[in-house]
Amino acid sequence: GAVVSQHPSRVICKSGTSVKIECRSLDFQATTMFWYRQFPKKSLMLMATSNEGSKATYEQGVEKDKFLINHASLTLSTLTVTSAHPEDSSFYICSAPAGVDGELFFGEGSRLTVL
Amino acid sequence: KNEVEQSPQNLTAQEGEFITINCSYSVGISALHWLQQHPGGGIVSLFMLSSGKKKHGRLIATINIQEKHSSLHITASHPRDSAVYICAVRAGQFYFGTGTSLTVIP
């Protein structure tokens, strides 16, 4: 099956700094990448949808300037949490549809802790 | 109002039991996904359905489009099946259920 590689798996940063999370499609071209956030013991919350070569579409309530998404190539999408605050601490995960059916393939997830 | 409702929220089963997790949705969909999330956080797509039934090993997923309902069945459950199972539907955008936490006891 298709593979989505997400890095870093864990990151700890100081409040006010920016953190970049990368998702790469290793064996397929990901024209679309979905970015999610997950709070403890909660389900996935779709944050935004990125499409290669165009601006990301953000879900209602998600700050575009806080969560910068770039999808500059067919194999790489990035999420940058800018000026991170402790409330941004969360599990962030990406997924991309692949194949004829558009089955979803997920990255391993990134656990962000902002001190 | 949740577009996707899952039940039960939590489920504990004895090894070997037959397990059913249900998902109901209220929107018109193009596809329904069953996802499995293990304690470490990694998510695996188990099934993508738009009609009928699919089977992978001990897992079976069914969908009834008219009733807007899907079920995930696990036959001969095993402790390694312990995970959170999430139902997600695509209706333009994605909607996610709150997940079912399954624990299978040896």
Side-chain angles (χ1 to χ4, degrees), chain A residues 10 32 34 36 38 41-46 59 91 93 97 100-109 111, chain B residues 6 31 33 35 37 39-48 54 86-88 90 93-94 96-99:
Chain A
R10 293 181 181 273
T32 299
F34 300 107
Y36 313 85
Q38 187 176 36
K41 299 189 184 299
K42 298 291 185 183
S43 191
L44 299 171
M45 181 189 79
L46 182 65
E59 296 301 307
F91 187 68
I93 194 164
V100 176
D101 294 335
E103 184 177 353
L104 287 177
F105 293 89
F106 287 80
E108 300 92 333
R111 191 163 302 282
Chain B
Q6 268 185 254
H33 299 254
L35 312 173
Q37 185 172 31
I43 295 177
V44 173
S45 175
L46 298 175
F47 295 101
M48 188 178 76
K54 286 189 177 180
I86 301 169
C87 172
R90 187 161 194 181
Q93 64 182 81
F94 272 98
F96 292 87
T98 52

Side-chain angles (χ1 to χ4, degrees), chain B residues 5-70:
Chain B
E5 298 278 358
Q6 268 185 254
S7 64
Q9 285 191 328
N10 296 285
L11 180 57
T12 301
Q14 231 24 69
E15 183 174 357
E17 284 185 8
F18 180 85
I19 289 163
T20 296
I21 300 170
N22 294 299
C23 175
S24 296
Y25 53 92
S26 59
V27 294
I29 68 169
S30 57
L32 181 143
H33 299 254
W34 280 104
L35 312 173
Q36 180 190 55
Q37 185 172 31
H38 279 279
I43 295 177
V44 173
S45 175
L46 298 175
F47 295 101
M48 188 178 76
L49 295 162
S50 54
S51 66
K53 177 180 175 178
K54 286 189 177 180
K55 183 176 188 292
H56 289 155
R58 296 180 294 106
L59 303 178
I60 303 166
T62 63
I63 188 168
N64 185 317
I65 297 294
Q66 287 72 30
E67 293 185 4
K68 296 188 174 178
H69 181 269
S70 175

Side-chain angles (χ1 to χ4, degrees), chain A residues 1-30:
Chain A
V3 176
V4 175
S5 178
Q6 184 172 347
H7 293 281
S9 58
R10 293 181 181 273
V11 56
I12 300 172
C13 70
K14 291 182 179 180
S15 188
T17 61
S18 295
V19 174
K20 181 185 284 189
I21 298 169
E22 294 187 346
C23 275
R24 294 179 183 273
S25 56
L26 298 186
D27 50 1
F28 69 103
Q29 293 183 330

Side-chain angles (χ1 to χ4, degrees), chain A residues 37-89:
Chain A
R37 182 173 181 177
Q38 187 176 36
F39 293 99
K41 299 189 184 299
K42 298 291 185 183
S43 191
L44 299 171
M45 181 189 79
L46 182 65
M47 298 174 65
T49 302
S50 72
N51 293 291
E52 185 269 335
S54 63
K55 289 184 179 180
T57 303
Y58 289 80
E59 296 301 307
Q60 195 170 13
V62 178
E63 298 177 61
K64 300 178 184 180
D65 296 332
K66 160 69 80 176
F67 300 101
L68 299 179
I69 290 172
N70 183 277
H71 196 152
S73 79
L74 288 171
T75 59
L76 175 63
S77 177
T78 61
L79 166 67
T80 301
V81 183
T82 63
S83 188
H85 287 276
E87 57 264 32
D88 299 325
S89 298

